[in-house]
């Protein structure tokens, strides 16, 4: 039996995707060759890359709207500097809602003036700031749509004419959203899209050539876009498996259908966190993430008892990030609802025993 996998990342993928990916490593589509030993310039792989880019645009409703999807390496962390390298001429605004935003700010400062428009650091990032003004002279405004570590999520986007740039690593493809509000968004694959090793960037083509500085080829969006993500050898396994997962998302009815399922899962878990007198949620209720639920035991002395119940039930990956402590249940697209039901049963068993 497989474990109930609540890992925050690298995270769970649908079992059929895992199965198809494993098959392709042995032999790609009856070709008598493995996916990982063929040329990335072969027709077979070019088709895979093209399909991955098309699916990313189709799922987000951005096909034919002047956007380009590219698959890069270096993780979301490289995007912290690439966004600034390519877009920050004078001044950029950042919403600081957690560790990842904080890191993005640090990198952007290497390239120009950075204004922290709002921050929730004062309360260990347990909420999403709401009252702030966005000055009109920014090259872009950067935000992190879902804060993987703290379990908060933007429910609405800031209203602004300033180009919006978003780190969507942990909630891409997770809910219906007007993606055209963004001028650029990026996501490291290993949370909700695929295995580690590639990062999806979707960028409005009108953003190319925005800055006067010279940009090294490997760090230029325009270069990667003009070469259809084949400027250098792409991470073939990560792109292929992400493509399979996007096919799976489409077969499930797309992002909107998955968004409804994700809401059912998170409602079930938060309902229990609020009902069960032994637990308390970490994040502000109105800002709670559908992807990563953070919660604590009110009495830390019950930790061993709860951990042992969870272990017996076959739950894995529930430990909270060290900067928050407690527990974090990551409920990405591929997590079946019965995993959440098992977790809720464990919480109720603890309550019954104590
Ligand atoms: C995990 C994560 C990152 C870091 O991703 P890497 O691919 O490890 O660089 C950045 N932002 C968010 C929101 C994340 O969840």
């Amino acid at each position: 039996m497989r474990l109930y996998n609540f890992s925050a990342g690298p995270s769970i993928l649908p079992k059929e995707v895992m199965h198809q990916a494993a098959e392709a490593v042995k032999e790609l589509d009856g070709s008598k060759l493995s996916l990982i030993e063929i040329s990335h310039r072969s027709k077979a792989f070019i088709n895979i890359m093209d399909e991955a880019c098309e699916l990313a645009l189709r799922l987000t409703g951005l096909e034919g709207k002047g956007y380009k999807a590219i698959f890069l390496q270096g993780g979301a962390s490289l995007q912290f500097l690439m966004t600034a390298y390519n877009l920050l001429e004078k001044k950029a605004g950042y919403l600081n809602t957690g560790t990842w935003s904080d890191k993005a700010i640090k990198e952007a400062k290497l390239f120009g003036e950075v204004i922290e428009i709002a921050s929730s650091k004062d309360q260990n990032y347990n909420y999403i700031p709401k009252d702030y003004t966005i000055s009109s002279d920014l090259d872009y405004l950067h935000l992190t749509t879902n804060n993987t570590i703290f379990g908060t999520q933007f429910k609405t986007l800031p209203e602004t004419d300033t180009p919006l740039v978003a780190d969507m690593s942990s909630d891409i493809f997770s809910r219906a959203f007007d993606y055209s509000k963004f001028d650029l968004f990026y996501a490291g694959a290993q949370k909700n899209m695929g295995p580690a090793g590639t990062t999806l960037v979707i960028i409005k083509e009108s953003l190319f050539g925005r800055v006067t500085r010279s940009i090294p080829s490997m760090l230029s969006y325009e270069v990667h876009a003009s070469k259809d993500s084949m400027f250098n050898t792409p991470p073939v396994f990560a792109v292929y498996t992400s493509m399979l997962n996007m096919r799976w998302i489409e077969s499930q009815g797309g992002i909107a259908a998955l968004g409804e399922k994700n809401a059912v899962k998170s409602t079930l878990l938060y309902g229990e966190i609020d009902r069960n007198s032994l637990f308390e949620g970490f994040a502000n209720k109105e800002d709670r993430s559908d992807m990563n639920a953070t919660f604590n035991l009110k009495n830390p002395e019950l930790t061993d008892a709860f951990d042992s119940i969870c272990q017996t039930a076959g739950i894995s990956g529930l430990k909270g990030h060290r900067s928050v402590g407690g527990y974090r249940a990551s409920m990405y697209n591929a997590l079946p609802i019965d995993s959440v039901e098992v977790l809720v049963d464990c919480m109720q068993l603890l309550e019954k025993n104590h």
Side-chain angles (χ1 to χ4, degrees):
M1 187 201 86
R2 283 176 56 85
L3 297 177
Y4 301 102
N5 184 5
F6 289 91
S7 170
S11 66
I12 186 169
L13 285 169
K15 62 177 186 306
E16 51 266 56
V17 167
M18 216 84 84
H19 177 75
Q20 290 165 24
E23 286 301 312
V25 169
K26 288 188 254 168
E27 183 182 2
L28 179 65
D29 298 335
S31 64
K32 302 196 167 66
L33 291 170
S34 162
L35 164 72
I36 56 173
E37 60 170 7
I38 58 168
S39 168
H40 58 292
R41 311 234 174 248
S42 63
K43 187 87 187 98
F45 190 77
I46 289 174
N47 287 344
I48 290 165
M49 181 63 92
D50 286 350
E51 186 176 349
C53 294
E54 274 165 35
L55 275 164
L57 291 178
R58 193 156 72 233
L59 287 172
T60 51
L62 294 175
E63 239 176 0
K65 292 195 174 155
Y67 286 82
K68 183 92 182 171
I70 46 182
F71 285 89
L72 305 178
Q73 300 186 58
S77 298
L78 185 63
Q79 294 312 306
F80 298 162
L81 73 96
M82 261 180 89
T83 45
Y85 215 148
N86 286 260
L87 304 175
L88 175 48
E89 181 77 6
K90 288 205 174 72
K91 200 198 273 192
Y94 278 71
L95 296 174
N96 187 352
T97 54
T99 309
W100 300 118
S101 322
D102 210 41
K103 290 189 175 180
I105 291 169
K106 181 164 167 272
E107 299 300 298
K109 283 182 175 163
L110 300 169
F111 298 93
E113 190 182 345
V114 171
I115 313 282
E116 212 172 277
I117 301 284
S119 170
S120 49
K121 201 171 191 165
D122 56 339
Q123 292 187 42
N124 198 21
Y125 300 115
N126 73 353
Y127 70 103
I128 298 287
K130 313 234 167 34
D131 295 320
Y132 48 83
T133 33
I134 303 162
S135 44
S136 58
D137 58 346
L138 302 173
D139 295 324
Y140 61 87
L141 176 69
H142 180 284
L143 68 139
T144 311
T145 50
N146 184 68
N147 298 283
T148 327
I149 293 174
F150 301 92
T152 62
Q153 187 174 34
F154 279 84
K155 301 297 168 184
T156 55
L157 293 177
E159 287 298 331
T160 174
D161 293 331
T162 302
L164 269 190
V165 172
D167 176 357
M168 299 194 76
S169 293
S170 52
D171 68 348
I172 190 151
F173 304 145
S174 72
R175 54 178 168 161
F177 220 74
D178 181 2
Y179 283 83
S180 72
K181 291 204 161 147
F182 298 113
D183 294 71
L184 185 157
F185 54 97
Y186 58 89
Q190 72 275 14
K191 307 278 166 53
N192 209 19
M193 187 174 76
T198 192
T199 309
L200 171 65
V201 176
I202 297 189
I203 179 172
K204 237 185 205 167
E205 284 162 317
S206 58
L207 285 191
F208 297 144
R210 275 293 168 98
V211 290
T212 49
R213 73 172 67 85
S214 322
I215 303 171
S217 308
M218 271 300 283
L219 298 178
S220 160
Y221 290 128
E222 196 170 357
V223 168
H224 285 288
S226 71
K227 300 290 182 193
D228 295 319
S229 306
M230 298 274 199
F231 174 72
N232 71 322
T233 315
V236 292
F237 178 77
V239 171
Y240 179 73
T241 308
S242 298
M243 185 278 283
L244 291 176
N245 191 41
M246 288 188 280
R247 273 188 192 162
W248 177 84
I249 293 171
E250 199 161 58
S251 77
Q252 299 296 300
I255 295 182
L258 282 176
E260 283 169 26
K261 286 188 188 156
N262 289 334
V264 172
K265 289 185 272 177
S266 70
T267 304
L268 175 62
L269 180 54
Y270 286 122
E272 180 61 19
I273 290 170
D274 293 339
R275 188 209 60 78
N276 192 316
S277 59
L278 300 180
F279 292 92
E280 61 190 348
F282 171 77
N284 247 23
K285 279 189 187 173
E286 60 180 10
D287 303 322
R288 282 172 165 176
S289 165
D290 281 350
M291 295 280 97
N292 314 95
T294 44
F295 57 101
N296 292 281
L297 277 165
K298 286 183 191 160
N299 176 4
E301 281 171 19
L302 294 179
T303 302
D304 287 346
F306 185 55
D307 290 355
S308 135
I309 289 173
C310 289
Q311 200 188 348
T312 307
I315 285 176
S316 168
L318 200 65
K319 193 170 164 23
H321 189 273
R322 60 190 178 282
S323 51
V324 180
Y327 299 96
R328 170 174 52 172
S330 296
M331 299 173 282
Y332 297 118
N333 284 344
L335 185 89
I337 186 147
D338 41 315
S339 299
V340 182
E341 287 163 356
V342 170
L343 174 56
V344 166
D345 287 346
C346 290
M347 295 165 78
Q348 292 180 353
L349 181 59
L350 184 76
E351 186 186 43
K352 205 169 126 233
N353 294 351
H354 297 272

